[in-house]
Amino acid sequence: MPFKGKPPGSGSGEMSRRTQALRPDIALAPKEAAKARALRRQGAAPEEIARAFGVPIEEVEKALVQMRSPRPESTRGTLNITLAAHRFVMAERQGEEPLWQTMDRIVDELMRLRQVVAKGAAAAKARREAARPDDLLPGLLPEPPAH
């Protein structure tokens, strides 16, 4: 039976409603805020962005404060695993498949390999037991070893 995980829902990766509710209101529409962040990434100063949208600089700063920025010294990958494990998983990806699909494939392979190992161990045990001398008839003692 292959391992089959449930793919992430359509809203996965989006900001939670609770987080959105806790954020301050911004005088920019969501598309304008995204454009302001893009301008900032391109090197525009907050004052220039405020002039471009015709809003106070405080409103632009609220939008810019919500920007995500990469951490240069990240200790975890996107899977919340060590960087070495993350590199392994990324190397296992086939084409542009989603990470959840890669993980399902890796877990499926692990489960199959464990079954093979368990069957091999059971077969080895059966071979060892078959190699033993037949059980003696009750009441008969084995011959003592020769010295």
Side-chain angles (χ1 to χ4, degrees):
M1 171 169 89
F3 179 82
K4 183 105 169 112
K6 183 178 176 187
S10 61
S12 68
E14 293 179 3
M15 186 188 317
S16 76
R17 290 188 196 112
R18 182 171 189 260
T19 302
Q20 272 182 325
L22 293 173
R23 293 223 168 150
D25 288 333
I26 303 173
L28 297 171
K31 286 186 178 185
E32 290 175 325
K35 178 71 175 161
R37 293 182 195 114
L39 289 171
R40 182 66 179 142
R41 282 187 201 96
Q42 293 169 5
E47 297 81 15
E48 296 173 45
I49 299 169
R51 275 195 303 277
F53 287 104
V55 294
I57 191 165
E58 293 82 16
E59 296 302 318
V60 171
E61 287 172 344
K62 284 184 204 175
L64 299 182
V65 124
Q66 296 174 7
M67 282 177 68
R68 289 187 176 202
S69 54
R71 291 178 51 202
E73 293 295 322
S74 179
T75 58
R76 301 285 178 173
T78 58
L79 299 173
N80 198 21
I81 55 177
T82 63
L83 290 174
H86 181 260
R87 281 189 295 274
F88 172 79
V89 171
M90 295 307 283
E92 289 293 313
R93 285 178 82 184
Q94 293 177 350
E96 293 294 317
E97 76 178 349
L99 282 174
W100 65 265
Q101 203 169 12
T102 305
M103 287 303 302
D104 277 3
R105 207 169 20 77
I106 292 171
V107 170
D108 182 52
E109 184 177 337
L110 173 64
M111 290 169 57
R112 289 175 192 270
L113 288 173
R114 284 186 173 179
Q115 285 177 341
V116 168
V117 169
K119 286 179 184 175
K125 182 179 178 185
R127 282 192 302 274
R128 280 192 309 272
E129 289 177 3
R132 286 188 196 158
D134 293 335
D135 291 335
L136 297 172
L137 294 174
L140 295 179
L141 297 174
E143 291 182 24
H147 292 291

